[in-house]
Structures are given as structure tokens and as C-alpha cells.
Amino acid sequence: MSTLIVLPIIIPLVTACLGLLAFRSPRIQQALSVLGGFGLLTAAIVLLMRVWTAAEPPGGILVAQMGSWPAPFGITLVADLFGAIMVLLAAITGLAVLIYSVADVDMPRKRLLYFPLVHVLLAGVCGAFLTGDVFNLYVCFEVLLLSSFVLLSLGSERAQLEGAIKYVTLNLLSSAIFLSAAGILYGTAGTLNMADLSARIASAAEMGDGSNSQSGVFTVVAMMFMVAFGIKSAVFPLFFWLPASYHTPPFAVSALFAGLLTKVGVYALIRFFTLIFVHDTGFTHTILLWVAALTMVTGVLGAAVQMEFRRVLSFHIISQIGYMVLGLALFTPLAIAGAVFYIIHHIVVKANLFLVAGIAHRLRGTSALDRPGRFSIYSSAPLVAVLFMIPAMSLAGVPPLSGFWAKLVLIRAAIDERLFAYALVALLVGIMTLFSMTKIWAEAFWKSPPDEDRRGAPDEPESAARPPRIDRSLLGPIAALAAITVAIGLLAGPVFDLSTRTAEQLLNPAGYVRAVLGADHHRAATAERKEEPAP
Amino acid sequence: MLLALVISGFVLAPVAPMLQRALPHRAGYIVALLPLAIAVMLGLMSAGVVNAGIVTDTEGGFSIVSTAPWVAGLGVDLAFRLDGLGLLMAMLVSGIGALIFVYAAGYLHGHKHLGRLYAFLLMFMASMLGVVLADNLILLFVFWELTSVSSYLLIGFDHSQEKSRKSALQALLVTGLGGLGILAAAIMLGDVAGTFTISELVLHRDTIRGHALFPAIVVLMLFGACTKSAQFPFHFWLPNAMAAPTPVSAYLHSSTMVKAGVYLIARLSPVLGGAAIWNDALTWIGATTMVVGAWMAFRQRIMKPLLAYSTVSALGTLVMALGVGTTKAVEAAMVFLLAHAFYKGTLFMAAGAIDHETGEKDVSKLSGLRGSMPILFIATAAAALSMAGLPPFVGFVAKELMLKGLIPDATRGTGSAALTTMLVLSSALGVVVAVRFGIRPFLGDLKPTPTEPHEPPRSMLLGPVMLASLGLLAVVLPGFVALPLVGPAASAVLHATAKPDMALWHGVNAALLLSVVVIVAGAALFAIQSGVLRVIEPIASRLDRLGPARVYDGTLWAVLTFSRAQTRALQSGSLRQYIFFTIGTAVIAIGGALAVNQGFSSVPGLSDVRNYEIGLFALLLVGAGYVGVAKNRLAAIAGLGLVGYGIALAFVLFGAPDLALTQLCIETLMVVLMVLVFYMLPDFRSISNNSQRFRDLFAALSLGAVMFFLVLIAGQSTPDLAVTTFYGERSVPDAYGRNVVNVILVDFRALDTLGEITVLVVAAVGVYALLKSTPKRAKHIAGLKEGSE
């Protein structure tokens, strides 16, 4: 069983190593990478199925102790439903991007070890989703930060480097805060194993009397993690790095980032604020609620005024992150299920939109929305138009696509809690999302270049100027992701059940602790602490 | 079965463009077979010929139910239910749909995107069937939104026209905003009643009516219904939606989609009706819309806007009647709904045909067309007379019933006199409009038009002739067309048996007298219309500028202006500002939590500090300070290096030499990487003024101070040393290593080390890549403005 948990980290890492060995031949790297992508996807599917069937009711927790050192002394890898779902999403996005990269990424970049870097990134992402150790999570963050930084600057175009600098600087701030928080946490709690932390902080909160207690320090540390992960997940007011950098690299790279990077931050937020820091939800989760609303609003308003394809999409990532944080902040089973559903939907849709942006750029010759393109995509490439419309409408929450259900669950959760203001914000942000998606549609897809009407008329002879052919390896991943979006929408029942089970698992930290530390550990830890004199 | 009927349109939609390509002359007719089949199926099902599990209602209506699970966890099922109201609407949707496909085949013959039009129309038809047949609120909302989206695509069909795109967006935003209201109201209703099943809601009527959320539910639901059915003040999108090709206007924006709001109101009347807030709001919104619409229609000369405003007026009439909510009013509403669908569908198709054959859109420039298009003339005139409310057309019956439902008597409140007056007024204006559009252009002498007028092709005549004849048949043979649809529909709305009286003659009574007044007033108004318009137009057009369309534009402008300002302030492009905000947030979040949860009172003293520690501290301080004042990048990076190496030194001092080595490696590589990236940027310039420097210094010191206190306070707690102890005890016996740090790195926590090694490799690759690709530096990303990120 433990091999299975390790596979999603090992497969991309090994693929990356093999790619490095073949560093003279981008072709071999390419073939290896796509193969590795399929391998990762297979492992991820098997992992999720095993986790789902591991217990009754569905959804167990698989644990692997690295080096067979018992928790909390070694590093524990944990695959619960949430982690396994995230790994699967990473694998899907990764494979789609890898296939798309074959035609999208230019040869110089491929020569500069593009493919191995993507796999290192995937290894870091999967590691972050599977680790049960705070410091190991930090290491995974570093792996994906550095690999993403290099991917971002690969090719060294001026705009890229400018974006890369902003990206890496602000993310290093996050790392610094994360590391300080981890250090203080270790100094206070004496452990970095997440399950162990969960048990200890819970028992400290039971014992604490409020003022000057350990519990208070934990709340402060919780805020440090919130800031660190807040930067990673690009919430208000920490999102600056994202719109500054996502529109600069090749489309494949930005799709990978858009799908996965911020979601690692959101994952960490959800993991930490359901498993570890739930001792003072009145404080921490109220702040998250504010953050969520402001993130949704500022992001969507930012998108409304952008006039570059990927900049619009980038700002939308921010606003969508707000929805996920809203689910966490509401902190009810339905809300957490909504957040999980939202992440599932969002990763697929967002990565896809960036991939479509690449094709639109090829067809129009520009990504600027306020400049006329060479062709009206609506007229000349209807399939591409459809493949944009599906994720775009899904993002805007148009039923019955995936985004609708995600929003429905969250809005219902807010209304159930009688937090009408937040439900209203979520609804209005939805219509603003629709506004910017239609802006892209109208400007980049509908609008015709001035002379097109004559060119396309049936009684005129076929003009020599035909839109460039779009390679199947570019269209394939987009079509597949669009199909997944539609499937999530039409099969919302099973996906919602999966999200609900995931939420139940997340809201029951004791189950996680038991799975990692063994059945009797929690009591032992509590008893141990009670013997010590209160500080 | 019902599910299959709804889904079939979605299934056929993607095939339609291919069909059009394969059979360019026949595709429209083939596609039209689907709605025709649906209409026939619905008829057979409701008549009980096709057994689909009929459940007879206690109120004398019928209902056919089919349910399949969908998202059970959220209470959303694929529940469909065919009852009288659903049948009336579904028959209109499918029946008129069939005529529209045939009409479109003629109207857009040879258009390169005709196949897409079929696809969008099919999608719309299926969605609309879903709306009127869904028995689950969320399911209804799903289809509701899909009608908005297909309407968006159809209004923007002439996609290269700026006006089409703008109108499409306006319709989408207005109806989309209303859709949000419906979604919120639906969720609340489900929350209150414990079910989303519409037919079960009525069982929880009292719970719903007594709940604190009831007013909110009503307001939100009506908001959604009113935007969709173009009620004042949300009516402005409908005339703009005329940018769509005429088949679309005839289908969506007169006879079906705009009636979705009316349908929703009727559907929920048994649940929400009876409360003052519901009935009063509907009555007065409807009445206002009725008058405003008629008035605006009176002022139009261009065919489609004229018809659009008259549609607004008709929708207002329907909403008003449902608001009044009495048996008579509801019966009148159902008959009127049918009558309007017949005559307005005819008139729209006629408008398209006239425009198509003459190239003229202005009715005042059309005259004497009767000779060149006699069949169209007869159909149009019949529809216009029905609209004007003249016997023997169904419009007359509808108006009679409407008047009877409103005329004041002992049981009605004082408002009914006002409502009657408003109805008479708007009907008189309607007479003018009907004659101006439907009769006048055909009479008199022939005026020259851009193209030689001639009878439209048969495909474009089928629809008007069929619908106009139905308008007559509904009265002549009421048992054949009208009563089987209208009676059950009214019963379903009222939850009681209803049987509208569709006879033409009831003797002389108040309603008949008022009808005569309407006709006479309308005729008189028609005679003096040009004079009236000349007088009022200057004033009225000035008033238009204060209308709700301005509110829409103004809101959009305000939101975008605010967004621009907000985005400029936040995403300024300046990295230093980003860092300042980020650090500021950290200080507020961490410092705030510290202040709230911990209190600064208990900070311990700084005893136990050794001299060399102070030395190291000073070294770090010098390094950090030097970075701040350095005059060029290299010096700054050197200063940073000093800090990094100082930290490595601290590792050494506190007994972790291995870690120190790793730190040194990473630090060195990062410095190299940074230098290379900096190399690509312009020369170093000091761009801060003094106030900015102080601001930055303040931020840095604040974060330092917060961290300082936090570490001090956290250092007080005595951690559980179980982990540390474990490492010390097990290092030699289990891991065979005497250097505990080494053992931690390569055994206890070997996975971390693997990660760190990976970081090193990636850093090396990054340095390699930067070195390899430095020469090409001037390439730009297209679409990116210099300096704007």
C-alpha cells in the first residue's frame, strides 16, 4: 500500500531524472514526459480508487511511514480523499499540459529542459498534496516554487523575466513566513507531524485558559500560515504576483500554473484550517470569511477591466480562489464540500481556458482583446469557439456545467448559515464573471476583422488567406478537459457525493490522527501533556 | 418520456450544422420535424392516447410525472411534470418552433451560419421545454439559464455587428441578474419547505407564508421573473434584442422566452399567491409595464421595435392579470397568452417577410403592398385585428375576458377602476399600433421601396398563415384548439377547475361597451397620430434619456470605472508596492493576532544573551542595513549574501553544520540566479524618494518587531521533546549513525533531503537556462503594453 502513495511523487521525479539524462535530445524527453504523464495519471486514478474503497462508508485514509520510522518521528505520507482527489487533478492537468506542450512550446525552450522541469513541478505538487508533515510541505513548496520560477523565466523574454522577478520575490516572502511559522510551531509544539500537531493543539486548547496560553501562540502561528498560504493562493490583498506573471510565459506553462499553483496554496489552507488550527475558528475563520469576500470582489473587478486574454483569466483565478476560501471559512460540512467541488471544477476549467487562449492567439495573431484579430474564430474555427464556450460558461457558473454546481453548493451553504451578504457577493461575482467571459467571447471570438465578411461569403472564391491549421495535439487536451467539465456537470451527483465524503473526512480530524498515529495515540498524547506543569 | 422530449433538442442541436451542410435546401424542414413530433407527442400524452402514467389531480386537472435521480445529495432530481399550464406553454414552444424552423429556412436562405442558427434555436427550444416542464426549482433554473445563454447567442447572431454584440450582452446581463434572484429565492424556498419539488411546495404553503424569509423569497422571485418577461423597469433589453434575426425575435422575444417569467409567476401562484406583497406588486408592475409598453410602441415607426414594445405591453397585461389573481383574471390571462402568441408570432414573421421582400423597415414608408403580397396581407391583417381586439378573432375574446376580470364591482378594491382605465388606455394605443403596422402598409398607393416588393416564398408564408388561422379557429372552434389548452392551464394556476367562456357574444354589457370605447378611441387616435406624435416627441425623447436603460449604462460605467481605479491602485505594476502591501498585511495579521490573543504584557526579559551572539546579530544587522543603502545591485546582493552566510554561521553556532552547508549552497545559487535576472533589467537607478524610503523602513521594522516579540513569547513555552529525544536515542542503534543531524537528514527525514536535492538540481538547470538564453532579449510578448506588466 505504501508504494502506491509514493508513486505520484516518484513517477514524475524519475521521469524528470531520465529526462535530465537525455538532456541532449528534446525528442526523447518529450516522449518520456508524455509517457510519465500517463503513468502519473494511472497511479493517481488507482490511488483515489483505493482510498475510496479503503473503508466503509467509502473513503479511508492510506498512510505510508517513510523509512518505516513511526509517526511522528519520520515523515508520513497520507492519502485521504482530499489529497487523492488533488493528486488526480494534478495528474489530469499535468498530462493535458504535457501533450499540449509538444506543439505549443518552442524548440529552444525544449532544449532548456522544459519537460523535466514540468515533471519536477508535478512531483512537488503531488508531494504537497500527500505529505503529512509541515516541514516536508515546505520542502515541496520550495521544489515547486523554484521549478515554476525557472519555467516562468525559461526563454528569457523581457516580459517573462519581469514577471518572474515579481513572482519569485513575493513567493519567497511567503516561504520566509512559512518557514518562520514552522520553526515557531516546532519550538512550541515539539512536532511537525500534522496529525500530531492536530492532537496536541486540540488538547492544548482544552487545557488553555485563554490568556497567555499556548493556545494563543498557536493562533498567532495560524495567522502566519494564513498569510504564507494566502500569498501562495493569491487571496486579497496578497495576489499581486499572479496577474503580474501569468500572462508572460508560453501558454502551456501558464495553463499548468493556473490549474495547479494557487490550488496548492488553497489545499494547504484547507488542510491546516480543518486539521490543525481549528481551536479558535471564531477568530481565524471569521478573518477567512472577510478575505474570501474581498478576494472574490477585487479579483472579478480586476478582470472586468483587463484587455488581454490571459490577464482577464488571471484575475479570474483570484476571484475563484475567493469562492474556495469562502467554503473553508463557512466551515460547515456543506460548505467544505462546496469548496472541494469548486476546486475539482476550477482546476479543470481554468487550465483549459489558458490552453484555449493559446489557440486563440495562434488564430488571431494577438492576445489583445482590443485589437482586431486576423480571423473571427467564431466564423473560421467553430470547434475552437465551442471549446472555449464550455469552460468559459462553466467558470461563469452557467448550468448545468461544473461551475454551476460548485457555486450552488457554496451559495446554499451561505444561505443555510443565514450569511446572506456572502451569498449575495457570491451571486454578483458570478454575473461579473459572466460579464468578462462574454467580453472575451465578443472581442476575440465574435468580432470579425474589418474585411472578413467579404472573404467568407459563399459566392466569392475561397480566399488564399485561411486560418492556420490547429494541431490535433493542441485540440486534444482541450477537448478532453472540456469533456471532463461537461461530465462533472452532468454527473454532479457522484461528484457531489465524493465532495461530501471528503468534507466529512476533513471535518473529522480525529480520524486523520488515528490513521497516522495509531488508535491509542491521541489519548496517550493528551495524558502526557496533562502530567507536565502548565507553562 | 418527458425527459426524452426535453433532451431531444439538445441531442439534435450539434447535428444541425452538419445536416445543413449536407442538405442545404431541406435541413430546415427536417429539423422542424422534431418540434412537430414533440407537439404531437404532448397532445397524445395529455389526451391519454399515449399512456405515460397519468395522475389525475383532485382539482380536475391532469398531470403526468416522470422522475429520475440526478444530484440526490442536493435534492435536485430530473423531475418533469406535464400539467395544464405546462402543456399550454410546451405546445406554444414546440408548435411555433416548428413554424419558425421552416420560416428561418426561407428567411436566412444561403446564410453561411444558418446551420448554427438551427443549432442555437434547437438548444433554446429544448431549454424552454425544460423550463415549462421541470418540476424541480433548481432544474427549472438550469433550463432558465440555458434559455438566457441561447438567447445571447441568437441576439448576437450577426456577430460582426457591434450593436448585436452589445444588445446580446445587455439581454444576458439583465436576465442573468434576474436569474440570480431566482436561484437565491429557489434555495431559500427549498430551505424553508424542505423540498425543491414544485408540485410539493403547495403542501408547505402555510409554512412558507409564515416564514421570516417569505418577503425575501417573493421579492427575489419576482425580480427574476420581471427581468425575463421584460417588466418595467427592466423592459429596455427587449427592444434592443431585436438585433437578432427576425425568426429569433418571433420565437424567443415575442411568443416563448419572454413568457418564461409569466410562466414562473403562474407556476408559483398557488404557493406564493394570496399574499398582499405578491399580488399587489405583480398587479402594479404589470399595469405600469402595460401602459409604458403601449406608449413606447405608439411612438415607434420601425417595425421590430414597434412590435417589441407592444410585446412589452402584452407581457405587462399578463403579469397584471396574474397579480389580480381571481378566477376570471387568471382565465383571461391564459386566453390572452394564447391569443398573443398567435397574433404576435404572425406579426413578427410578417415584419421579417416585409423587410426581406422590400428592404424597408419603416412602416411609414410602406404603402399599397396588398397587390404584391396578398396572402401575407390577409394573414397580417387578421393578426392585427386580433391584436386590436376585434371580433371574430381570439384577441377580442381575450380582451373581453380581461376587462371582465378588472371592471370594478362590489367584490373588488378601489384599485380596479384605475386598472380598468389603464387597460382601456393601453388597448386603445394598441389599436393604433396594430393598424399602423398590420393594415396601413398594405392599403393605399404603392410607394417605392429599396427592392421590388413581391410575395414571400412559401416557407415564409406558412408560419403567418398558420398562426393567423389559429387565431380565428380558436374562436370559431374553441373546443378544437383553445379550450383543451386554456382550461387546464387556468385550472393548474388556480388549483381549481376553470373553464374560460370563449363565446363571442354575451349580450350588451360593460365589457362590450368598453371594447367599443377602445376601438373608437383607437380609431380616433390613429387619425390624429401624426399630429400627436409631432407635439409629444420632443418632450418624450428627452424623457427617454432618464429611462432605465440609462441606469443600466450608468451602472455598468460606474462598476467599470471603480474597477479600473481599484485595479490601478492594487495592481500598479510596482514590485515595491506589492512587497509593501504584502508585508503590511503580514504585520497586521500576525501583530493583530498577537495583540488580541497574547497581549504584550508578558514579554520576558532579555537575559542569558551571550557576547558572540550579539556579534553575530550585529553582523546580520550590518548586512541587512547595507542592502538598504547599497548604491548598486551587486553591492546589495553582496549584502544579502552576508545575511545568508550569517545565518549559516548561526546554524554552525547552534550545532547544525550540515544544515549550514546546505544553506550556503542554496544561498550561493540563488545569488547567481538573481544576478543573471538583474542583468536583463535596465541599469540600477535609485527610484525611491525619502518618504518612500521611510515607508519601506517602517514596514521592515514593523515586521521585524512583530517577529521579535512572537519569537520571544513562543520561546517561553516548553515544547514536548519526545521527537528530539527519539532522534537522540535511536540514532545509533537503529540508524547506525553517530551524527544525529546527518541521520536526520539522510534517514529520519530523508524525504526532505530528496526535496532539497531536487531544489538544487532545478536551481542548476535554471542557471544553465539563463546563461544559455541571455542573447535574445528584445523580443516582446504580443498584446502586452510596455511597462503595464
Side-chain angles (χ1 to χ4, degrees), chain B residues 529-578:
Chain B
Q529 55 172 335
S530 45
V532 174
L533 281 174
R534 220 181 359 258
V535 176
I536 56 167
E537 203 50 38
I539 311 162
S541 59
R542 205 162 300 160
L543 277 174
D544 286 349
R545 265 178 251 151
L546 305 171
R550 292 280 293 185
V551 178
Y552 168 86
D553 290 337
T555 312
L556 211 56
W557 177 85
V559 169
L560 290 180
T561 307
F562 175 78
S563 306
R564 213 163 281 130
Q566 175 225 276
T567 310
R568 235 196 320 267
L570 284 175
Q571 198 72 28
S572 60
S574 151
L575 179 57
R576 289 177 321 134
Q577 190 197 316
Y578 298 163

Side-chain angles (χ1 to χ4, degrees), chain B residues 209-289:
Chain B
R209 295 277 295 276
H211 200 276
L213 286 179
F214 178 70
I217 292 172
V218 168
V219 169
L220 288 168
M221 206 53 108
L222 290 185
F223 173 57
C226 289
T227 54
K228 194 81 165 180
S229 278
Q231 296 298 296
F232 182 85
F234 309 114
H235 63 281
F236 57 89
W237 69 264
L238 187 56
N240 290 337
M242 295 302 127
T246 304
V248 175
S249 311
Y251 192 29
L252 274 72
H253 302 123
S254 76
S255 46
T256 55
M257 188 184 87
V258 286
K259 296 212 171 83
V262 175
Y263 166 80
L264 185 70
I265 292 167
R267 179 54 83 205
L268 292 176
S269 280
V271 183
L272 304 175
I277 172 173
W278 170 271
N279 290 82
D280 290 351
L282 281 176
T283 307
W284 293 107
I285 291 171
T288 312
T289 310

Side-chain angles (χ1 to χ4, degrees), chain A residues 345-370:
Chain A
H345 137 75
H346 176 89
I347 291 182
V348 175
V349 159
K350 202 78 221 196
N352 204 9
L353 282 171
F354 274 85
L355 295 181
V356 177
I359 293 189
H361 185 91
R362 276 161 193 271
L363 288 170
R364 297 181 67 236
T366 175
S367 281
L369 297 177
D370 45 8

Side-chain angles (χ1 to χ4, degrees), chain B residues 111-130:
Chain B
H111 192 288
K112 62 174 171 167
H113 290 157
L114 182 55
R116 284 182 211 182
L117 185 84
Y118 293 146
F120 296 154
L121 281 174
L122 279 170
M123 202 174 109
F124 164 75
M125 184 195 72
S127 316
M128 195 63 208
L129 282 174

Side-chain angles (χ1 to χ4, degrees), chain A residues 158-160 162-163 166 243-244 247-248 305-309 311 366-371, chain B residues 564 572-573 779-789:
Chain A
R158 189 195 156 94
Q160 268 189 297
E162 198 183 322
K166 287 171 181 162
H247 59 293
T248 60
V305 293
Q306 298 305 316
M307 269 301 174
E308 207 262 356
F309 205 133
R311 288 271 282 189
T366 175
S367 281
L369 297 177
D370 45 8
R371 258 185 255 163
Chain B
R564 213 163 281 130
S572 60
K779 232 174 109 183
H780 286 269
I781 300 247
L784 189 84
K785 290 196 193 84
E786 189 84 40
S788 69
E789 284 182 353

Side-chain angles (χ1 to χ4, degrees), chain A residues 13-282:
Chain A
L13 213 51
V14 168
T15 313
C17 290
L18 293 175
L20 286 178
L21 289 178
F23 81 102
R24 282 192 192 284
S25 166
R27 285 187 169 284
I28 297 179
Q29 290 172 23
Q30 194 165 292
L32 274 173
S33 282
V34 174
L35 209 64
F38 275 109
L40 177 60
L41 182 61
T42 315
I45 292 172
V46 175
L47 180 66
L48 181 57
M49 275 163 47
R50 285 282 173 79
V51 171
W52 180 253
T53 53
E56 196 60 47
I61 297 177
L62 305 184
V63 172
Q65 312 289 1
M66 294 296 96
S68 298
W69 296 107
F73 307 112
I75 291 172
T76 314
L77 293 187
V78 188
D80 62 352
L81 278 176
F82 189 36
I85 290 171
M86 296 304 289
V87 167
L88 178 58
L89 291 167
I92 292 171
T93 317
L95 181 59
V97 167
L98 283 167
I99 295 174
Y100 186 90
S101 304
V102 170
D104 181 60
V105 176
D106 54 17
M107 209 33 157
R109 285 193 174 86
K110 285 181 186 168
R111 280 188 203 289
L112 294 173
L113 300 165
Y114 168 81
F115 283 107
L117 282 169
V118 171
H119 274 281
V120 172
L121 182 78
L122 286 174
V125 169
C126 290
F129 294 150
L130 290 173
T131 186
D133 186 279
V134 174
F135 184 75
N136 194 243
L137 180 68
Y138 172 79
V139 173
C140 292
F141 271 30
E142 289 303 284
V143 170
L144 67 91
L145 171 60
L146 208 61
S147 51
S148 56
F149 171 56
V150 176
L151 278 172
L152 202 53
S153 56
L154 211 58
S156 304
E157 284 166 16
R158 189 195 156 94
Q160 268 189 297
L161 292 180
E162 198 183 322
I165 273 292
K166 287 171 181 162
Y167 172 80
V168 80
T169 309
L170 294 167
N171 273 285
L172 281 173
L173 275 178
S174 161
S175 297
I177 297 169
F178 186 173
L179 193 59
S180 318
I184 294 171
L185 194 58
Y186 184 70
T188 317
T191 182
L192 286 172
N193 181 292
M194 292 183 193
D196 202 17
L197 279 170
S198 171
R200 281 171 198 240
I201 291 175
S203 64
E206 278 167 35
M207 287 164 34
D209 57 336
S211 68
N212 209 10
S213 66
Q214 250 196 331
S215 174
V217 176
F218 287 137
T219 307
V220 180
V221 176
M223 291 309 294
M224 293 183 74
F225 280 112
M226 197 190 287
V227 172
F229 299 152
I231 296 174
K232 287 276 171 203
S233 45
V235 298
F236 175 87
L238 303 165
F239 56 67
F240 315 106
W241 58 269
L242 195 155
S245 59
Y246 271 23
H247 59 293
T248 60
F251 288 89
V253 173
S254 58
L256 188 67
F257 288 10
L260 296 180
L261 286 192
T262 47
K263 263 54 72 181
V264 177
V266 174
Y267 167 86
L269 272 179
I270 294 181
R271 180 63 81 199
F272 274 55
F273 287 88
T274 57
L275 177 65
I276 301 174
F277 297 118
V278 288
H279 59 288
D280 193 3
T281 52

Side-chain angles (χ1 to χ4, degrees), chain A residues 13 20 66 69 73-75 77 112-113 117 120 133 135-136 139 143 146-147 149-150 154-159 161 165-166 169-170 173 180 184 186-188 190 200 212-213 216-217 219-220 223-224 227 231 236-240 243-244 247-248 280 283 298 301-302 304-306 308 311 315 368 371 376 378-379 382 389 398-400 404-405 408-409 411-412 415-416 418 420 427 431-432 434-435 438 441-442 446-448 453 489-490 492-493 496 528-529, chain B residues 70-71 73-74 76 112-113 116 120 138 141-142 145-146 149 152-153 156 159-160 165 169 172-173 176-177 180 183-184 187-188 191 196 211 213 556 559-560 562-564 566-567 570-571 573 575 578-579 581-582 585-586 589-590 593-594 597-598 602 670 673 677 680 707 710-711 713-714 717 719-720 722-724 726-727 734-735 747-749 751-752 754-756 758-759 761-763 765-766 768-770 772-773 776-777 779 781-786 788-789:
Chain A
L13 213 51
L20 286 178
M66 294 296 96
W69 296 107
F73 307 112
I75 291 172
L77 293 187
L112 294 173
L113 300 165
L117 282 169
V120 172
D133 186 279
F135 184 75
N136 194 243
V139 173
V143 170
L146 208 61
S147 51
F149 171 56
V150 176
L154 211 58
S156 304
E157 284 166 16
R158 189 195 156 94
L161 292 180
I165 273 292
K166 287 171 181 162
T169 309
L170 294 167
L173 275 178
S180 318
I184 294 171
Y186 184 70
T188 317
R200 281 171 198 240
N212 209 10
S213 66
V217 176
T219 307
V220 180
M223 291 309 294
M224 293 183 74
V227 172
I231 296 174
F236 175 87
L238 303 165
F239 56 67
F240 315 106
H247 59 293
T248 60
D280 193 3
F283 181 73
T298 46
L301 292 184
V305 293
Q306 298 305 316
E308 207 262 356
R311 288 271 282 189
F315 273 97
R371 258 185 255 163
S376 146
Y378 175 82
S379 280
M389 211 52 173
V398 170
F404 164 69
W405 299 106
L408 175 67
V409 176
I411 290 164
R412 203 175 153 188
I415 289 180
D416 281 354
R418 297 290 182 263
F420 297 113
L427 285 167
I431 194 101
M432 286 302 291
L434 188 61
F435 172 78
T438 51
W441 172 258
W446 259 350
K447 200 181 240 176
S448 307
D453 278 337
L490 295 181
F496 179 69
E528 209 173 279
R529 293 212 61 78
Chain B
W70 193 10
V71 191
L74 287 169
V76 183
K112 62 174 171 167
H113 290 157
R116 284 182 211 182
F120 296 154
I138 303 294
F141 175 78
V142 168
E145 290 293 275
L146 285 175
V149 173
Y152 171 75
L153 292 171
H159 60 96
S160 45
R165 295 197 296 266
L169 178 65
L172 183 69
L173 286 185
L177 205 60
L180 299 184
L183 181 61
I187 294 174
M188 288 188 203
D191 195 25
F196 286 125
H211 200 276
L213 286 179
L556 211 56
V559 169
L560 290 180
F562 175 78
S563 306
R564 213 163 281 130
Q566 175 225 276
T567 310
L570 284 175
Q571 198 72 28
L575 179 57
Y578 298 163
I579 295 174
F581 279 155
T582 306
T585 309
I590 303 166
L594 208 57
N597 285 287
Q598 192 61 45
S602 58
M670 285 303 284
L673 213 56
V677 174
M680 307 295 290
M707 291 306 296
L710 174 58
V711 171
I713 292 164
S717 58
D720 182 341
V723 174
T724 319
F726 178 90
Y727 289 156
D734 290 354
D747 200 336
F748 291 125
R749 301 188 62 96
L751 194 62
D752 287 343
L754 178 67
E756 293 297 352
T758 313
V759 171
V761 172
V762 173
V765 172
Y768 166 75
L770 281 174
K772 273 285 222 187
S773 53
K776 42 165 215 164
R777 50 188 301 182
K779 232 174 109 183
I781 300 247
L784 189 84
K785 290 196 193 84
E786 189 84 40
S788 69
E789 284 182 353

